[in-house]
Amino acid sequence: MLNLVSILIGIVLLVFVLVGLIPFLGWLNWLALVIGAVGVLLGALSRHKSGLIFNIVLLLIAAWRLSLGGGIL
């Protein structure tokens, strides 16, 4: 059950990360990092690890985008 919730959080996170890739909307990635941390926590607590891996990949993409924009853009 926690894995399913983690995957659903990951889908919401995916929307934030994709919108955050647009120039001048990079600030959404800060929100994505918070949402992703919750998804990673729930994924770590579940038996299956697919939600955990999905959220970690999205967190890495969001962090990469933030590093490109200097944390603001």
Side-chain angles (χ1 to χ4, degrees), residues 13 21 24 31 41 46 69 71:
L13 177 64
L21 289 174
F24 299 111
L31 184 61
L41 179 66
S46 70

Side-chain angles (χ1 to χ4, degrees), residues 43-66:
L45 293 175
S46 70
R47 262 189 319 154
H48 303 286
K49 299 302 176 194
S50 58
L52 173 69
I53 294 169
F54 182 52
N55 283 306
I56 287 175
V57 169
L58 290 174
L59 277 176
L60 289 174
I61 293 170
W64 173 72
R65 172 59 177 92
L66 277 172

Side-chain angles (χ1 to χ4, degrees), residues 2-53:
L2 287 175
N3 191 42
L4 179 64
V5 174
S6 177
I7 291 173
L8 290 175
I9 289 173
I11 291 171
V12 172
L13 177 64
L14 178 65
V15 172
F16 280 111
V17 169
L18 288 177
V19 173
L21 289 174
I22 299 171
F24 299 111
L25 293 177
W27 55 269
L28 278 174
N29 287 316
W30 286 109
L31 184 61
L33 290 177
V34 173
I35 294 171
V38 173
V40 166
L41 179 66
L42 291 176
L45 293 175
S46 70
R47 262 189 319 154
H48 303 286
K49 299 302 176 194
S50 58
L52 173 69
I53 294 169

